[in-house]
Amino acid sequence: MASSSKPTPLLKDELDIVIPTIRNLDFLEMWRPFFEQYHLIIVQDGDPSKVIKVPQGFDYELYNRNDINRILGPKASCISFKDSACRCFGYMVSKKKYIYTIDDDCFVAKDPTGHEINALEQHIKNLLSPSTPFFFNTLYDPYRDGADFVRGYPFSLREGVPTAVSHGLWLNIPDYDAPTQLVKPHERNTRFVDAVMTIPKGTLFPMCGMNLAFDRELIGPAMYFGLMGDGQPIGRYDDMWAGWCIKVICDHLGLGVKTGLPYIWHSKASNPFVNLKKEYKGIFWQEEIIPFFQAATLSKDCTSVQKCYIELSKQVKEKLGTIDPYFVKLADAMVTWIEAWDEINNSAEVKTSDKASEAGPK
């Protein structure tokens, strides 16, 4: 007699899905075929007294600001408020090896043949296959079916390196900054490029956090989304800050970062005028921030992600602190983040009293 049970998806017990939100999570219904068997960590931003509704059948824990304050105490100051950067709290409290994070306005996309894309499955494939940061392969990811290393690719580099980050893309609404949104209000991304590639060593990239997966054990402590939102002079640079930091550290530790597939369908454009208010200082600052990261080097003593991140925080304070006092505050928060990460993750378990304020069916 055939079993009626669903097939077990890849890494079912080794991956958490982290979702930051201020609203009911109706969008999960369309993701049900792909997400239902995984554990979700929902980080509720904004008013903690608001009740967030989650569709039935999902296994989840939900943390609001009161939970964050109770669990981290004074160190909760490093977790942003009224900004999707709060999602990184979910990374901290996860007990799994892998993380996939997605925004609640990201829907299931379709490939050119009309088939729904299982974004999570593609991210897992990206993470479980090596990266090639030291020499570019012109057929892109050589480990994908139907591809290989091209003629002239050094045999000594064909084993690749572990993949720490898988950065996915978006159909429909592109991830544009406010000035580009204003001059191209009707532009939509309809180009489906069937490619995954490793970002070369020494090359930075603008990381977007709305369709992102990573190996928490390899790079988790560096996946801090900074101080953004309420009480801060800047917003919408949370994921990019994390991206610049993780790329410098991955390059130093010999880890890989991939970008390309999978696509999600980004359903709605945020208000460009609101975005401009959040971004405008960052638009000026990034012209100095990016050269800083391009020139950043880490010492041989930096043999762990935590050591790398602490050393990078010192350089942020010293070299970016002259731009604005915000960067001194951010550098201190980077240290607080690492201290909180180590405290949470070195304890055997989060105490029962520290569990989420609400949990779905187990």
Side-chain angles (χ1 to χ4, degrees), residues 44 46 48 63-70 76-77 79-81:
Q44 178 180 344
Y63 295 92
N64 61 34
R65 192 70 203 188
N66 293 339
D67 300 311
I68 294 171
N69 290 339
R70 187 181 69 250
S77 62
I79 305 297
S80 298
F81 184 55

Side-chain angles (χ1 to χ4, degrees), residues 145-289:
D145 290 341
D148 212 321
F149 293 98
V150 298
R151 182 171 54 90
Y153 200 98
F155 283 88
S156 59
L157 295 176
R158 293 191 183 194
E159 285 188 9
V161 302
T163 301
V165 178
S166 172
H167 177 256
L169 299 174
W170 350 268
L171 293 172
N172 196 36
I173 306 294
D175 186 29
Y176 285 164
D177 53 37
T180 309
Q181 280 184 291
L182 287 166
V183 297
K184 293 183 170 183
H186 304 298
E187 185 158 288
R188 299 294 181 266
N189 182 33
T190 58
R191 297 172 64 243
F192 181 96
V193 180
D194 186 11
V196 179
M197 64 187 76
T198 298
I199 301 172
K201 182 179 181 180
T203 300
L204 296 175
F205 74 112
M207 189 173 82
C208 172
M210 65 178 154
N211 175 27
L212 178 73
F214 59 94
D215 185 322
R216 188 176 171 278
E217 292 181 2
L218 286 180
I219 200 63
M223 203 56 90
Y224 174 48
F225 277 40
L227 288 176
M228 302 284 152
D230 194 49
Q232 309 303 335
I234 186 175
R236 284 174 55 83
Y237 274 82
D238 51 333
D239 42 8
M240 287 185 286
W241 180 264
W244 297 327
C245 291
I246 62 98
K247 189 58 169 64
V248 168
I249 293 172
C250 283
D251 286 353
H252 175 76
L253 295 177
L255 301 171
V257 178
K258 292 182 180 180
T259 188
L261 300 180
Y263 284 90
I264 51 83
W265 179 270
H266 188 204
S267 65
K268 85 180 171 204
S270 47
N271 186 310
F273 296 100
V274 173
N275 290 348
L276 186 60
K277 187 176 180 182
K278 294 177 180 179
E279 291 175 3
Y280 79 97
K281 286 191 175 181
I283 290 168
F284 291 103
W285 288 347
Q286 71 183 19
E287 301 306 316
E288 295 182 69
I289 296 171

